Amino acid sequence: MDHVVVEPDHRNFAQVARALQDEADGTQWRAELTADLHEALEPGVTAARGAILGMPSAGLPHGGEPLRVAVANQVVSEVSLGRNPGARIRVRKRGMPRGFRNAGKRLNARRGWRHPVFSPDVWTHQLGEPGWFDDTMRRLHPKLRQAALRALDRRARRITRRG
């Protein structure tokens, strides 16, 4: 005999083939992983929203949406599973009041911003709460990273269980 034939157990082979077929397009797998990662990042989103809403405000009342509330509403988690996979927490620029697209960035920076007060000739320099986002994320980073790794590990175990 000059060769050896190794044939897998038919039942195990069928089980692996079914698992691969179920995961072939990966739609359900991606949806579940995305949901798990959003859930893992939720404590960071909540903490960032709390940090911006907890910032002291001495602004005058006006007809528009308050700046801090608008920024808090734009703090979101984003998950990408495409060409550059990853998950992050960010402040979106759209939906900011009075056309102030960089409000989240300016409230987090030490340099602040200038804006007119009462008339086009009177300007003031305003500071936010430097570090409201960066410091919060730096403090929570290890916890959020572990939660994301656990979500990825659950997905990997699911695939190996099905095979």
Side-chain angles (χ1 to χ4, degrees):
M1 178 183 242
D2 59 343
H3 68 282
V4 176
V5 176
V6 178
E7 294 181 0
D9 176 6
H10 180 70
R11 187 177 58 83
N12 287 339
F13 189 76
Q15 183 180 7
V16 169
R18 270 194 310 276
L20 288 173
Q21 184 64 33
D22 290 346
E23 300 295 336
D25 71 347
T27 305
Q28 181 181 2
W29 185 89
R30 279 194 288 282
E32 290 174 0
L33 177 59
T34 300
D36 286 350
L37 288 172
H38 279 296
E39 183 181 325
L41 295 179
E42 187 58 35
V45 171
T46 303
R49 286 179 179 163
I52 189 70
L53 291 174
M55 183 186 303
S57 173
L60 297 172
H62 53 79
E65 181 181 20
L67 185 61
R68 293 176 304 131
V69 173
V71 172
N73 289 335
Q74 296 302 320
V75 175
V76 294
S77 63
E78 292 181 346
V79 177
S80 172
L81 301 177
R83 176 180 246 170
N84 297 313
R88 66 183 180 167
I89 298 173
R90 68 179 289 231
V91 180
R92 290 186 298 207
K93 290 184 176 186
R94 67 176 182 228
M96 294 298 174
R98 300 175 294 283
F100 190 14
R101 291 177 43 89
N102 287 321
K105 181 178 168 180
R106 289 288 181 226
L107 285 166
N108 191 52
R110 300 209 185 287
R111 69 179 202 196
W113 68 96
R114 287 175 37 103
H115 61 90
V117 186
F118 303 118
S119 75
D121 298 333
V122 181
W123 286 72
T124 186
H125 184 79
Q126 186 170 345
L127 280 176
E129 181 79 20
W132 72 266
F133 186 83
D134 292 341
D135 295 345
T136 302
M137 291 302 116
R138 194 173 297 116
R139 189 179 70 248
L140 290 174
H141 184 266
K143 179 181 167 187
L144 297 174
R145 185 174 188 281
Q146 286 295 356
L149 288 174
R150 280 194 302 273
L152 292 171
D153 191 46
R154 281 194 303 271
R155 294 290 108 208
R157 280 196 311 262
R158 175 179 169 250
I159 290 172
T160 56
R161 265 196 322 266
R162 296 189 92 188

